[in-house]
Amino acid sequence: MESPDIRGGDAATFETAEKIILRWDSTTSEEAKENLIFQSDRDEVDRYLQAVDEVQRLVSSVSISDSHHHEVKARSTIQIAMARLEDELRNILLSQTSTFEPDSLLLDSSASSFATRADLEDNTETAPDDGEGDEQEEMNLVLPDGSDSNSGSDAGSSRLSSRRSSCKSTSSIREIDLVSAEAVSDLRSIVQRMIGAGYSRECVQVYGNVRKSAMETIFKQLGIVKLGIGDVQRLDWDVVEVKIRRWIRAAKACVRVVFSSEKRLCEQIFDGEMEETCFMEIVKSSALQLFTFPEAISISRRSPEKLFKILDLHDALADLLPDMEEIFNSESSESILVQATEIQSRLAEAARGTLVEFENAIFREPSVVPVPGGTIHPLTRYVMNYLNLIADYKQTLVELVMSKPCAGLKCTNDPVKPDMDISQLQGCSPLALHCIWTMVMLQFNLEGKSLHYKDEALSHIFIMNNVHYIVQKVKSSPELREIIGDLYLRRLTGIFRHAATKYQRATWVRVLNSLRDEGLHVSGSFSSGVSKSALRERFKAFNTMFEEVHRVQSTWSVPDAQLREELRISLSEHLIPAYRSFLGRYRGHIESGRHPENYLKYSVENLETAVLDFFEGYTTAPHLRRSQ
């Protein structure tokens, strides 16, 4: 049987097809160079594609051995056609490359909030200035600026209630049309012919280059710029915090909108393995660029202020991984999914290490200058606000924190180390033990700081204020209270009440001793039974001591209004009845003598009024009113 040749009807068909193809050869025709086939009328597009199909059919059916001349001619024509289709492919893609407003791509732009340094500040209390600002320069703990906030109140347990989103849901993928439906049809018709003619490499290269460039443009619009790991680690943390918030929003858009839409476009245009080959050609470098940033954070130096941003990144990746599993679901794209999973794992390890670093930083915080007035120490404010934020991240941290704080497993009774006996804390989660251990170390640090007060009574006020603040912060956060538990909370309550009792003993025992009857009565026939000189000395001693206590303790500070009032009531219950009784018994003896005004300086009402000045944190003690 004779091998087929281009003859008869095939020859005529070939010549017609060849003319159409050569007419659009931009290397020989100025008109072809200035115009595009797919911008012509649809009939011309159909004619050209049909001509390519005819020549390709003839190339496939011609015997090379018997029809070498025709074979060469046909293949030359196909080569011209492929060069033209390559140009057409590029031009359609370029003309269809849309620019998007970044906000149109960003997801959940208003539904999420993130923990920032401001969340570690505590600026809602209306108590007077307690002088804590002077302590700021003494703080060497490597913590955010918020640690030096010098006011404090309950920040509210719902501060980050909207921060959490349900994880592991692929319903958030939102595919958009990157090119028009008509363009998809044209691109597919070109791609099919280029691949059919053996030009798949050129086809993928052109398609990939244009779409990669388009993706780079979108990345720039979303604020994702090329930064190496070293570049990220050299940035100030304030800058990094802002970039993390932006990255989380941008990453959601990249995965759920950009990558998913790009994958769908590849599926619409290519078939079989070519879909995935082309998709990876486009997104691989962009995906690597996207995940360089969280990778850099995961291996950066650990310090306490980074914990919550690390957790934000970890949660964001946990949220995105199910979507990524759906998008990068082939063998060729598995490396991207593996990379994201490994980064999430490293972020989890970084979070655990940062929590331990936070605990160590509390223990190491070295400031020794006492805060004026025995008020709440900046370290206490910082640590409790930090723990409140930890409680807000409970859902994540319960999964990440699997080990107990080993340093606190045994009660060693070592006076130079904090101790925690966990025998009564059985059943607590590792996270709960870490939080309690943090408060144990905080108390240990505060006890050390209290020793720097020269006035013993003020050291007790300092402990009372700070432990009371810890209790109130735990009570104000249902999440933190649930973690800590009521048993440990009762222990803390006992500590600050005991400190209040020790304050009263240190201050008022000596003052009240001056109101005793002992030593005032004398025996003898020439005496009335009361030594007026001893009595005058008693009144004089009481006046002097009370005036000194008033002068000093009106400059001390108890920021919590309820605690301040309770302390005043408690000391008044001891002081006022004792003074009223003493005054009632001996007033007459003093009034019958000379210059009674020098000894009976204060009425009961004067003392009641003076007590109201105590613990107000005055810069200068107010004038003490005397009896008229």
Side-chain angles (χ1 to χ4, degrees), residues 350-564:
R352 286 188 286 267
T354 302
L355 184 59
V356 173
E357 179 59 31
F358 168 61
E359 295 165 356
N360 293 335
I362 297 168
F363 180 69
R364 294 193 304 263
E365 198 283 309
S367 61
V368 295
V369 177
V371 289
T375 189
I376 300 160
H377 198 283
L379 177 65
T380 307
R381 296 184 187 280
Y382 178 82
V383 170
M384 293 314 300
N385 288 328
Y386 200 100
L387 289 177
N388 266 337
L389 285 174
I390 283 178
D392 287 324
Y393 286 80
K394 176 186 173 183
Q395 179 181 337
T396 299
L397 285 169
V398 163
E399 297 175 2
L400 298 187
V401 179
M402 304 302 294
S403 60
K404 299 176 182 178
C406 58
L409 287 179
K410 296 180 180 179
C411 189
T412 63
N413 294 316
D414 186 338
V416 297
K417 292 182 180 178
D419 258 339
M420 179 174 74
D421 184 358
I422 64 170
S423 60
Q424 294 182 318
L425 299 173
Q426 299 301 325
C428 289
S429 69
L431 176 61
L433 292 177
H434 274 276
C435 290
I436 292 173
W437 177 235
T438 297
M439 289 192 285
V440 167
M441 286 192 293
L442 173 60
Q443 291 173 61
F444 182 81
N445 194 313
L446 292 171
E447 288 287 350
K449 295 183 189 306
S450 73
L451 300 178
H452 295 289
Y453 287 100
K454 295 178 181 179
D455 190 322
E456 179 190 354
L458 182 54
S459 71
H460 298 317
I461 289 290
F462 174 75
I463 292 298
M464 180 198 70
N465 274 331
N466 282 268
V467 178
H468 177 268
Y469 180 84
I470 293 171
V471 170
Q472 292 305 109
K473 292 297 283 188
V474 174
K475 287 182 176 179
S476 72
S477 168
E479 295 85 359
L480 184 57
R481 184 167 186 167
E482 182 182 354
I483 293 172
I484 299 301
D486 286 340
L487 175 62
Y488 191 71
L489 192 59
R490 285 195 293 272
R491 283 195 203 174
L492 292 171
T493 301
I495 291 171
F496 86 75
R497 293 197 182 281
H498 183 59
T501 300
K502 291 170 75 174
Y503 150 75
Q504 292 197 40
R505 288 175 183 166
T507 297
W508 296 103
V509 167
R510 193 162 61 94
V511 176
L512 293 175
N513 278 342
S514 66
L515 302 178
R516 291 180 297 116
D517 289 340
E518 289 83 356
L520 294 178
H521 295 274
V522 295
S523 60
S525 58
F526 299 102
S527 173
S528 63
V530 175
S531 171
K532 291 189 177 181
S533 61
L535 187 58
R536 284 194 292 266
E537 286 302 316
R538 286 291 185 88
F539 272 104
K540 186 176 179 181
F542 173 82
N543 293 337
T544 300
M545 285 189 286
F546 184 78
E547 287 166 1
E548 178 64 13
V549 171
H550 177 270
R551 183 187 67 79
V552 172
Q553 296 194 11
S554 60
T555 65
W556 293 1
S557 176
V558 176
D560 185 86
Q562 182 176 344
L563 179 62
R564 185 167 63 246

Side-chain angles (χ1 to χ4, degrees), residues 217-447:
T217 300
I218 292 174
F219 267 46
K220 287 180 182 177
Q221 290 176 315
L222 291 172
I224 300 175
V225 296
K226 290 183 179 179
L227 284 175
I229 290 176
D231 298 326
V232 175
Q233 293 180 339
R234 282 190 292 271
L235 294 172
D236 290 338
W237 184 246
D238 286 338
V239 176
V240 174
E241 281 187 328
V242 174
K243 287 186 176 294
I244 288 174
R245 291 197 296 273
R246 291 175 179 170
W247 184 91
I248 290 172
R249 295 180 67 204
K252 290 179 181 180
C254 288
V255 171
R256 293 171 173 166
V257 181
V258 180
F259 289 164
S260 63
S261 299
E262 199 67 58
K263 183 179 178 71
R264 186 183 71 158
L265 182 60
C266 287
E267 291 170 346
Q268 291 172 328
I269 295 172
F270 296 90
D271 293 317
E273 293 183 1
M274 291 298 296
E275 292 177 12
E276 203 58 41
T277 300
C278 208
F279 176 60
M280 285 305 295
E281 175 73 16
I282 296 165
V283 304
K284 187 170 185 178
S285 62
S286 294
L288 291 174
Q289 177 185 339
L290 178 66
F291 292 112
T292 294
F293 180 76
E295 182 179 12
I297 302 300
S298 72
I299 59 177
S300 64
R301 183 180 65 83
R302 294 170 184 172
S303 56
E305 75 271 19
K306 297 180 179 180
L307 176 61
F308 304 109
K309 287 302 170 191
I310 289 173
L311 291 174
D312 283 337
L313 283 173
H314 175 276
D315 286 356
L317 278 174
D319 196 24
L320 287 173
L321 278 172
D323 301 316
M324 293 183 66
E325 289 171 0
E326 185 171 310
I327 296 167
F328 301 102
N329 58 358
S330 68
E331 187 176 344
S332 62
S333 61
E334 183 182 14
S335 61
I336 293 176
L337 189 61
V338 169
Q339 182 195 26
T341 303
E342 289 178 349
I343 291 171
Q344 187 202 21
S345 179
R346 284 198 291 269
L347 287 167
E349 182 58 36
R352 286 188 286 267
T354 302
L355 184 59
V356 173
E357 179 59 31
F358 168 61
E359 295 165 356
N360 293 335
I362 297 168
F363 180 69
R364 294 193 304 263
E365 198 283 309
S367 61
V368 295
V369 177
V371 289
T375 189
I376 300 160
H377 198 283
L379 177 65
T380 307
R381 296 184 187 280
Y382 178 82
V383 170
M384 293 314 300
N385 288 328
Y386 200 100
L387 289 177
N388 266 337
L389 285 174
I390 283 178
D392 287 324
Y393 286 80
K394 176 186 173 183
Q395 179 181 337
T396 299
L397 285 169
V398 163
E399 297 175 2
L400 298 187
V401 179
M402 304 302 294
S403 60
K404 299 176 182 178
C406 58
L409 287 179
K410 296 180 180 179
C411 189
T412 63
N413 294 316
D414 186 338
V416 297
K417 292 182 180 178
D419 258 339
M420 179 174 74
D421 184 358
I422 64 170
S423 60
Q424 294 182 318
L425 299 173
Q426 299 301 325
C428 289
S429 69
L431 176 61
L433 292 177
H434 274 276
C435 290
I436 292 173
W437 177 235
T438 297
M439 289 192 285
V440 167
M441 286 192 293
L442 173 60
Q443 291 173 61
F444 182 81
N445 194 313
L446 292 171
E447 288 287 350

